[in-house]
Structure formats: C-alpha cells, structure tokens
Amino acid sequence: WRHLRRIAREFLAYPVRPPPESLCQAATTQCLAAWARLCRSGLCVAFTDVDPYPDAPNMRAEVSATGRLYAYALGTPARGIPQEVNRRFRAAHDAFAHAPKGAPGFDFPGELAAARMHAASCPHLADWYASEVLGQAAVYLYTGEYPEQRFVPGAAAWLSF
C-alpha cells in the first residue's frame, strides 16, 4: 500500500495520450485473445452500466453460483484501442485476475498482482498493462475517482513494488 500514492501521482503527472500505435495494435490483439479464451471458458458475460460488485468475494460468489460475470461497461475510455475491445479486456481481467477461487481482490495488492499476471503473460506489453491496470487502479483507490486513461512509458517499473 505504501506505493499507492507514488504510482497515482506518477500516473497523473503524464499527459493524457495513447501509447504508440504498434503497442495499441499489440494490446488490441492480446485483449481480443483474452476475450476469446474467456468465451471458450463457458462463463457467461453480461455488461452493465453500474459497477456490479462491491468487492471480489461478491463477484466470486456470483460467478460460482450462476456461471455469469457482470462486467462494468462504462468507466474511462482506453486510449488507442477501440472501446469495445477495452470492455472485453475489463471482462477478461475480472474473469482471470479476480474471479478464480483464491484470486486477489480489487484492492491495491490485488490490482498489483493482476497487473503482474497480465504482464508476465505478455512482457512486451508490460508498460501498457501497468498503465491500464495498476496506474488507473492506484488513482481510483487514492482519490475515489477514475482518471482519464493515459500511457506511462516505463510504468512496468511499478510492477516490482
């Protein structure tokens, strides 16, 4: 938790801009691959305009009981990838990083663990995952507000905290 404020401040210090085009294309490809894997898993996903779960244990209980995951469809738009791809990434992120039994929660250590998991699966996107997952989560947890999304070159360094 001691790094939360530092990451939030560093994230907000960067201008609002998309990642380089080549990174956006690679991120889009990875997000769609994660979505395809989620679809093959048999889990039913429904998008909602309200934040569906107060915490990860409630999400896990719902998914376990119903086989359905509700994914938040709103929030801040991603920069450089289509909004529909961003929505699908959010669903895959929740399904793979927070929904499994024993998975981390929506708190800072949980989002750090999730960002590390994503980055380990695709190291060339580590800065993108750290910006998209950890930077945005740090600002939300620090301020209570979702920030405008931005790309922070070198953000993968946060994953070592």
Side-chain angles (χ1 to χ4, degrees):
W1 283 93
R2 70 177 212 244
H3 298 291
L4 173 75
R5 183 173 60 178
R6 175 182 169 186
I7 292 171
R9 287 180 175 171
E10 287 179 13
F11 183 85
L12 290 172
Y14 272 83
V16 175
R17 64 174 180 217
E21 181 62 31
S22 61
L23 203 57
C24 292
Q25 290 172 355
T28 296
T29 298
Q30 283 302 117
C31 291
L32 292 175
W35 173 256
R37 192 174 69 149
L38 174 57
C39 292
R40 288 190 305 271
S41 76
L43 186 65
C44 181
V45 176
F47 291 98
T48 178
D49 291 347
V50 295
D51 200 352
Y53 306 107
D55 54 38
N58 276 291
M59 180 182 63
R60 282 191 286 277
E62 167 113 9
V63 168
S64 177
T66 67
R68 177 180 302 272
L69 171 75
Y70 288 96
Y72 188 47
L74 301 178
T76 57
R79 302 261 179 221
I81 66 172
Q83 190 58 25
E84 183 60 26
V85 173
N86 187 49
R87 287 177 2 132
R88 291 175 178 183
F89 172 70
R90 282 190 190 143
H93 166 79
D94 283 349
F96 298 130
H98 298 298
K101 185 176 182 179
F106 298 150
D107 57 2
F108 182 70
E111 294 298 347
L112 176 57
R116 286 175 176 159
M117 178 199 75
H118 292 306
S121 72
C122 201
H124 67 285
L125 291 175
D127 282 343
W128 187 84
Y129 283 123
S131 296
E132 177 71 20
V133 175
L134 190 57
Q136 195 171 41
V139 171
Y140 176 76
L141 292 167
Y142 183 61
T143 67
E145 304 277 330
Y146 283 108
E148 247 186 297
Q149 188 54 290
R150 62 204 74 208
F151 174 70
V152 180
W158 299 335
L159 303 175
S160 66
F161 293 151

